[in-house]
Amino acid sequence: MVDRSLPEGLIADQAMEHVRHLSVVIGPRHPTSRAEREAAAYVHQAIRRIDGRWELTNQPFRSVGGFRFRIAPLAMLVGLSLWSGLTRSRRRQFAAGVTSVGLSVLARDAFLLRPAVWESWLKRGESENVIVRIPPRGKIRRRVVFVAHLDSGVHRLTTDPRLVRHLPRTLGGVTLLALVGGVLTLLAGRNQRWRTVRTLSGGLAMGGAALAVIDELGPDSQGANGNASGVAALLGLAEALHQRPLENTEIVLAFTGAATAMGTGADSLATHYAAEWKDALWVVVNSVGTGELCWATRHGISPYAHYYPHPDALRVIERVANARPDLGLMGKEMLSLDEVSILRDRDLRALALMGYDRVSGLIPNWRQDGDTIHAVDPAMLERAVETIWTTARVIDQAADWPLARA
């Protein structure tokens, strides 16, 4: 039976103050910007005020400033490759077809937040992670890593509430355009079969490249729900653990940078700590200030670039949902692209906790200029803190880890 008693640190007003400071006082926190670094400094100071004895580390790294640096070049190359195959030359058709199929694999990797070969040549700015290690009362036997990103994105055309459902067929469709167009080019022959379809596929890919650039030209979002809410939830958990430490489970709070660019902060975190924290439970806390709470059972914004939580992590969150039915937790497929992809690539026991709109089933105000503090629900934020608190207690009180199958 999970201990449901909550310390006084879990107070919605306190969490909302963190959201207010991050989204209003600091404001939009674009990756690698000064505002993002101010957010990291704010978290650093907040943790020091809670407990100055905890191990607190700043992990600097360098990152590009936007997701378009992955998608736009790939989409443009797909378009050019397909157009170059509009010839009777079998040699050129073969080269163009193979290139397009190869680009479809690279595009899939991009939608799984895997680095592209040309990224080392791009201009990068300074960012950082803030990592807090909260010790238990006794010997460390288990570990839970909670991850929340500090930065906020820009207002995107593709995530407009009227258009976001089509994201797998707009930007996300580059993967299928490259694959299908490449196969048709390989099979076209000297009779130029499917020439119209291949021409149109190339044009759509070039349009996707333009859309990837235009998509990041919108105004910066204040990022109150995404993801000041996640940061506030982790700070609320820190307050609770200061008052009531766990018995044998170390809690790590990782506040990461440059997530809305290409997940660079989570990648740096996992690169440095994956081996040491291989047996930990990893929970990504993202956009938990509005709507209803869920854990994502499937993620992805491209037709064949989906990723899934680890089975061991699922058993934990299912036990949390059973122990606390009042939290309204449920599992749900989500249209999202987040740090879980990076963590699962390293076979870490990861899942994501996030909010969804009951009507649309989507993340509320995802990458929109309406993502302000006025849209954040204090009661929802408090439920999020209670959920991650209960998750920590489940691991700490379990007889075994990983949890046995029911």
Side-chain angles (χ1 to χ4, degrees):
M1 179 65 181
V2 177
D3 179 5
R4 291 178 51 173
S5 59
L6 301 173
E8 294 179 359
L10 302 181
I11 301 172
D13 289 346
Q14 196 168 26
M16 285 298 294
E17 176 56 29
H18 294 312
V19 174
R20 187 195 69 82
H21 190 94
L22 290 166
S23 64
V24 179
V25 177
I26 296 177
R29 305 168 304 284
H30 193 270
T32 74
S33 68
R34 179 177 178 180
E36 185 196 47
R37 293 190 290 275
E38 288 177 2
Y42 172 78
V43 167
H44 194 285
Q45 294 164 7
I47 293 295
R48 281 285 177 243
R49 285 194 298 269
I50 295 169
D51 195 319
R53 298 168 298 174
W54 290 342
E55 181 181 330
L56 183 57
T57 304
N58 285 62
Q59 182 188 35
F61 59 88
R62 298 182 66 80
S63 173
V64 300
F67 190 61
R68 66 182 180 275
F69 296 108
R70 281 190 181 170
I71 302 305
L74 280 169
M76 183 177 66
L77 288 172
V78 168
L80 293 175
S81 176
L82 292 176
W83 282 346
S84 71
L86 298 173
T87 174
R88 294 183 182 276
S89 168
R90 290 296 294 145
R91 181 176 297 179
R92 287 182 61 184
Q93 286 179 353
F94 179 79
V98 170
T99 299
S100 295
V101 172
L103 288 170
S104 76
V105 176
L106 293 179
R108 179 180 184 272
D109 285 349
F111 286 110
L112 293 174
L113 294 181
R114 294 168 182 161
V117 293
W118 58 80
E119 284 177 20
S120 59
W121 309 330
L122 298 176
K123 180 180 177 181
R124 292 174 175 252
E126 297 290 338
S127 187
E128 64 182 304
N129 297 330
V130 180
I131 305 163
V132 189
R133 302 182 72 158
I134 304 176
R137 288 192 179 97
K139 183 179 179 180
I140 298 175
R141 302 185 186 278
R142 297 166 188 172
R143 181 176 290 111
V144 183
V145 183
F146 291 100
V147 180
H149 68 82
L150 295 160
D151 55 305
S152 60
V154 297
H155 176 88
R156 292 180 179 272
L157 174 64
T158 55
T159 55
D160 182 283
R162 297 163 295 184
L163 303 174
V164 66
R165 289 187 180 277
H166 303 291
L167 186 56
R169 293 182 289 277
T170 52
L171 281 184
V174 171
T175 52
L176 285 182
L177 286 173
L179 179 62
V180 174
V183 170
L184 292 180
T185 299
L186 286 170
L187 300 176
R190 296 187 184 279
N191 292 330
Q192 294 265 43
R193 290 189 292 268
W194 312 294
R195 181 182 177 87
T196 301
V197 174
R198 292 185 288 127
T199 302
L200 181 60
S201 296
L204 289 173
M206 295 298 283
L211 180 59
V213 174
I214 295 170
D215 209 29
E216 293 201 21
L217 297 180
D220 287 334
S221 167
Q222 289 186 9
N225 187 43
N227 189 37
S229 64
V231 174
L234 265 57
L235 291 174
L237 178 62
E239 291 275 7
L241 291 169
H242 173 68
Q243 296 182 42
R244 188 177 300 166
L246 301 179
E247 293 300 324
N248 297 107
T249 302
E250 180 186 52
I251 298 298
V252 179
L253 306 180
F255 303 89
T256 60
T260 58
M262 292 183 296
T264 320
D267 185 62
S268 296
L269 179 75
T271 298
H272 191 82
Y273 291 103
E276 180 183 354
W277 298 343
K278 182 72 174 178
D279 294 329
L281 171 68
W282 297 67
V283 181
V284 174
V285 183
N286 186 21
S287 301
V288 292
T290 308
E292 305 294 333
L293 278 174
C294 74
W295 67 88
T297 57
R298 189 183 79 170
H299 309 247
I301 61 172
S302 183
Y304 76 115
H306 297 124
Y307 53 99
Y308 303 84
H310 194 282
D312 291 344
L314 283 176
R315 283 193 286 274
V316 174
I317 201 68
E318 287 168 357
R319 185 171 295 188
V320 171
N322 290 333
R324 295 293 308 274
D326 57 304
L327 297 175
L329 274 172
M330 66 176 289
K332 192 177 183 308
E333 294 184 1
M334 294 297 293
L335 188 67
S336 66
L337 183 61
D338 51 50
E339 299 93 322
V340 171
S341 176
I342 294 168
L343 302 177
R344 290 295 293 119
D345 259 358
R346 291 169 169 81
D347 199 29
L348 297 171
R349 295 181 171 95
L351 61 69
L353 179 71
M354 59 183 64
Y356 70 96
D357 180 77
R358 187 178 294 178
V359 176
S360 68
L362 304 170
I363 300 172
N365 299 311
W366 187 34
R367 308 287 171 82
Q368 293 292 291
D369 55 11
D371 185 9
T372 68
I373 192 170
H374 305 293
V376 174
D377 178 5
M380 167 69 167
L381 188 53
E382 189 164 9
R383 288 201 304 276
V385 183
E386 292 187 14
T387 299
I388 59 177
W389 162 260
T390 306
T391 301
R393 302 289 290 183
V394 163
I395 294 294
D396 195 48
Q397 296 174 17
D400 298 296
W401 172 248
L403 300 184
R405 291 178 173 85

mmCIF file of all heavy atoms in Angstrom, residues 293-298 309 314 317-318 321 328-334 351-354 356:
data_model
loop_
_atom_site.group_PDB
_atom_site.id
_atom_site.type_symbol
_atom_site.label_atom_id
_atom_site.label_comp_id
_atom_site.label_asym_id
_atom_site.label_seq_id
_atom_site.Cartn_x
_atom_site.Cartn_y
_atom_site.Cartn_z
ATOM 1 N N LEU A 293 -4.225 14.715 -16.836
ATOM 2 C CA LEU A 293 -2.922 14.051 -16.788
ATOM 3 C C LEU A 293 -2.948 12.695 -17.484
ATOM 4 O O LEU A 293 -3.918 11.944 -17.368
ATOM 5 C CB LEU A 293 -2.482 13.851 -15.337
ATOM 6 C CG LEU A 293 -1.830 15.031 -14.633
ATOM 7 C CD1 LEU A 293 -1.589 14.691 -13.174
ATOM 8 C CD2 LEU A 293 -0.525 15.425 -15.309
ATOM 9 N N CYS A 294 -1.870 12.391 -18.176
ATOM 10 C CA CYS A 294 -1.721 11.063 -18.770
ATOM 11 C C CYS A 294 -0.253 10.695 -18.827
ATOM 12 O O CYS A 294 0.636 11.543 -18.682
ATOM 13 C CB CYS A 294 -2.318 11.019 -20.183
ATOM 14 S SG CYS A 294 -1.329 11.852 -21.446
ATOM 15 N N TRP A 295 0.010 9.409 -19.040
ATOM 16 C CA TRP A 295 1.345 8.994 -19.457
ATOM 17 C C TRP A 295 1.220 8.589 -20.915
ATOM 18 O O TRP A 295 0.212 8.020 -21.339
ATOM 19 C CB TRP A 295 1.890 7.863 -18.586
ATOM 20 C CG TRP A 295 1.183 6.545 -18.697
ATOM 21 C CD1 TRP A 295 1.429 5.532 -19.585
ATOM 22 C CD2 TRP A 295 0.086 6.078 -17.884
ATOM 23 N NE1 TRP A 295 0.577 4.473 -19.375
ATOM 24 C CE2 TRP A 295 -0.251 4.769 -18.327
ATOM 25 C CE3 TRP A 295 -0.618 6.621 -16.794
ATOM 26 C CZ2 TRP A 295 -1.269 4.031 -17.751
ATOM 27 C CZ3 TRP A 295 -1.629 5.874 -16.228
ATOM 28 C CH2 TRP A 295 -1.945 4.605 -16.698
ATOM 29 N N ALA A 296 2.219 8.920 -21.697
ATOM 30 C CA ALA A 296 2.157 8.652 -23.133
ATOM 31 C C ALA A 296 2.491 7.190 -23.398
ATOM 32 O O ALA A 296 3.543 6.697 -22.977
ATOM 33 C CB ALA A 296 3.121 9.556 -23.885
ATOM 34 N N THR A 297 1.594 6.500 -24.084
ATOM 35 C CA THR A 297 1.832 5.104 -24.448
ATOM 36 C C THR A 297 2.493 4.986 -25.814
ATOM 37 O O THR A 297 3.042 3.938 -26.158
ATOM 38 C CB THR A 297 0.513 4.324 -24.470
ATOM 39 O OG1 THR A 297 -0.403 4.964 -25.384
ATOM 40 C CG2 THR A 297 -0.116 4.290 -23.083
ATOM 41 N N ARG A 298 2.418 6.045 -26.611
ATOM 42 C CA ARG A 298 3.129 6.119 -27.884
ATOM 43 C C ARG A 298 3.353 7.589 -28.209
ATOM 44 O O ARG A 298 2.469 8.416 -28.021
ATOM 45 C CB ARG A 298 2.338 5.457 -29.004
ATOM 46 C CG ARG A 298 3.138 5.321 -30.299
ATOM 47 C CD ARG A 298 2.326 4.727 -31.438
ATOM 48 N NE ARG A 298 1.449 5.731 -32.051
ATOM 49 C CZ ARG A 298 0.779 5.536 -33.185
ATOM 50 N NH1 ARG A 298 0.866 4.371 -33.803
ATOM 51 N NH2 ARG A 298 0.001 6.481 -33.677
ATOM 52 N N PRO A 309 7.295 4.051 -24.325
ATOM 53 C CA PRO A 309 7.916 3.985 -23.001
ATOM 54 C C PRO A 309 8.423 2.578 -22.695
ATOM 55 O O PRO A 309 8.010 1.598 -23.327
ATOM 56 C CB PRO A 309 6.772 4.380 -22.055
ATOM 57 C CG PRO A 309 5.527 4.013 -22.800
ATOM 58 C CD PRO A 309 5.836 4.259 -24.249
ATOM 59 N N LEU A 314 6.238 1.591 -17.407
ATOM 60 C CA LEU A 314 4.781 1.495 -17.493
ATOM 61 C C LEU A 314 4.189 0.816 -16.262
ATOM 62 O O LEU A 314 3.139 1.241 -15.757
ATOM 63 C CB LEU A 314 4.381 0.717 -18.747
ATOM 64 C CG LEU A 314 4.458 1.465 -20.083
ATOM 65 C CD1 LEU A 314 4.120 0.525 -21.226
ATOM 66 C CD2 LEU A 314 3.530 2.670 -20.083
ATOM 67 N N ILE A 317 3.970 3.443 -13.415
ATOM 68 C CA ILE A 317 2.936 4.469 -13.526
ATOM 69 C C ILE A 317 1.545 3.842 -13.431
ATOM 70 O O ILE A 317 0.593 4.480 -12.944
ATOM 71 C CB ILE A 317 3.103 5.286 -14.827
ATOM 72 C CG1 ILE A 317 2.398 6.647 -14.706
ATOM 73 C CG2 ILE A 317 2.642 4.524 -16.031
ATOM 74 C CD1 ILE A 317 3.021 7.585 -13.718
ATOM 75 N N GLU A 318 1.394 2.606 -13.871
ATOM 76 C CA GLU A 318 0.109 1.926 -13.702
ATOM 77 C C GLU A 318 -0.181 1.678 -12.224
ATOM 78 O O GLU A 318 -1.330 1.801 -11.783
ATOM 79 C CB GLU A 318 0.118 0.610 -14.482
ATOM 80 C CG GLU A 318 0.026 0.809 -15.993
ATOM 81 C CD GLU A 318 0.323 -0.455 -16.772
ATOM 82 O OE1 GLU A 318 0.653 -1.480 -16.125
ATOM 83 O OE2 GLU A 318 0.234 -0.418 -18.016
ATOM 84 N N ALA A 321 -1.350 4.959 -10.833
ATOM 85 C CA ALA A 321 -2.745 5.221 -11.200
ATOM 86 C C ALA A 321 -3.702 4.403 -10.343
ATOM 87 O O ALA A 321 -4.772 4.896 -9.953
ATOM 88 C CB ALA A 321 -2.958 4.915 -12.681
ATOM 89 N N GLY A 328 -6.805 10.867 -11.658
ATOM 90 C CA GLY A 328 -7.351 10.788 -13.018
ATOM 91 C C GLY A 328 -6.333 10.412 -14.071
ATOM 92 O O GLY A 328 -6.487 10.754 -15.249
ATOM 93 N N LEU A 329 -5.273 9.693 -13.693
ATOM 94 C CA LEU A 329 -4.233 9.304 -14.638
ATOM 95 C C LEU A 329 -4.724 8.244 -15.613
ATOM 96 O O LEU A 329 -5.471 7.341 -15.232
ATOM 97 C CB LEU A 329 -3.030 8.734 -13.886
ATOM 98 C CG LEU A 329 -1.966 9.694 -13.356
ATOM 99 C CD1 LEU A 329 -0.999 8.924 -12.477
ATOM 100 C CD2 LEU A 329 -1.233 10.353 -14.500
ATOM 101 N N MET A 330 -4.271 8.339 -16.850
ATOM 102 C CA MET A 330 -4.570 7.302 -17.828
ATOM 103 C C MET A 330 -3.447 7.258 -18.856
ATOM 104 O O MET A 330 -2.688 8.222 -19.022
ATOM 105 C CB MET A 330 -5.908 7.562 -18.519
ATOM 106 C CG MET A 330 -5.940 8.812 -19.383
ATOM 107 S SD MET A 330 -7.491 9.040 -20.281
ATOM 108 C CE MET A 330 -7.369 7.721 -21.486
ATOM 109 N N GLY A 331 -3.320 6.119 -19.544
ATOM 110 C CA GLY A 331 -2.363 6.005 -20.631
ATOM 111 C C GLY A 331 -2.997 6.439 -21.937
ATOM 112 O O GLY A 331 -4.167 6.171 -22.196
ATOM 113 N N LYS A 332 -2.202 7.120 -22.800
ATOM 114 C CA LYS A 332 -2.776 7.687 -24.017
ATOM 115 C C LYS A 332 -1.695 7.868 -25.075
ATOM 116 O O LYS A 332 -0.581 8.281 -24.766
ATOM 117 C CB LYS A 332 -3.414 9.045 -23.693
ATOM 118 C CG LYS A 332 -4.285 9.597 -24.794
ATOM 119 C CD LYS A 332 -4.928 10.893 -24.349
ATOM 120 C CE LYS A 332 -5.867 11.418 -25.418
ATOM 121 N NZ LYS A 332 -5.232 11.517 -26.741
ATOM 122 N N GLU A 333 -2.026 7.558 -26.328
ATOM 123 C CA GLU A 333 -1.132 7.884 -27.436
ATOM 124 C C GLU A 333 -1.127 9.396 -27.630
ATOM 125 O O GLU A 333 -2.186 10.022 -27.662
ATOM 126 C CB GLU A 333 -1.584 7.193 -28.720
ATOM 127 C CG GLU A 333 -1.482 5.683 -28.671
ATOM 128 C CD GLU A 333 -1.848 5.030 -29.988
ATOM 129 O OE1 GLU A 333 -2.169 5.774 -30.952
ATOM 130 O OE2 GLU A 333 -1.829 3.791 -30.064
ATOM 131 N N MET A 334 0.078 9.975 -27.768
ATOM 132 C CA MET A 334 0.191 11.428 -27.848
ATOM 133 C C MET A 334 0.956 11.851 -29.098
ATOM 134 O O MET A 334 1.946 11.224 -29.489
ATOM 135 C CB MET A 334 0.899 11.972 -26.605
ATOM 136 C CG MET A 334 0.118 11.792 -25.309
ATOM 137 S SD MET A 334 -1.456 12.695 -25.277
ATOM 138 C CE MET A 334 -0.882 14.397 -25.276
ATOM 139 N N LEU A 351 9.624 7.108 -19.382
ATOM 140 C CA LEU A 351 8.287 7.426 -19.878
ATOM 141 C C LEU A 351 8.053 8.918 -19.668
ATOM 142 O O LEU A 351 8.848 9.601 -19.014
ATOM 143 C CB LEU A 351 7.206 6.590 -19.206
ATOM 144 C CG LEU A 351 6.958 6.643 -17.692
ATOM 145 C CD1 LEU A 351 6.366 7.949 -17.213
ATOM 146 C CD2 LEU A 351 6.012 5.519 -17.297
ATOM 147 N N ALA A 352 6.946 9.408 -20.218
ATOM 148 C CA ALA A 352 6.614 10.826 -20.098
ATOM 149 C C ALA A 352 5.261 11.004 -19.434
ATOM 150 O O ALA A 352 4.307 10.273 -19.722
ATOM 151 C CB ALA A 352 6.606 11.503 -21.462
ATOM 152 N N LEU A 353 5.211 11.978 -18.538
ATOM 153 C CA LEU A 353 3.963 12.430 -17.930
ATOM 154 C C LEU A 353 3.631 13.778 -18.545
ATOM 155 O O LEU A 353 4.473 14.680 -18.567
ATOM 156 C CB LEU A 353 4.145 12.559 -16.411
ATOM 157 C CG LEU A 353 2.935 13.054 -15.611
ATOM 158 C CD1 LEU A 353 1.850 11.988 -15.572
ATOM 159 C CD2 LEU A 353 3.367 13.437 -14.191
ATOM 160 N N MET A 354 2.411 13.933 -19.056
ATOM 161 C CA MET A 354 2.042 15.198 -19.696
ATOM 162 C C MET A 354 0.545 15.443 -19.580
ATOM 163 O O MET A 354 -0.216 14.575 -19.130
ATOM 164 C CB MET A 354 2.476 15.207 -21.162
ATOM 165 C CG MET A 354 1.902 14.108 -22.018
ATOM 166 S SD MET A 354 2.563 14.149 -23.730
ATOM 167 C CE MET A 354 4.292 13.809 -23.439
ATOM 168 N N TYR A 356 -3.188 16.635 -21.418
ATOM 169 C CA TYR A 356 -3.880 16.588 -22.698
ATOM 170 C C TYR A 356 -5.244 17.242 -22.543
ATOM 171 O O TYR A 356 -5.819 17.292 -21.461
ATOM 172 C CB TYR A 356 -4.041 15.146 -23.192
ATOM 173 C CG TYR A 356 -5.015 14.320 -22.383
ATOM 174 C CD1 TYR A 356 -6.343 14.170 -22.777
ATOM 175 C CD2 TYR A 356 -4.612 13.697 -21.207
ATOM 176 C CE1 TYR A 356 -7.242 13.428 -22.033
ATOM 177 C CE2 TYR A 356 -5.495 12.938 -20.450
ATOM 178 C CZ TYR A 356 -6.810 12.813 -20.868
ATOM 179 O OH TYR A 356 -7.697 12.083 -20.118
#
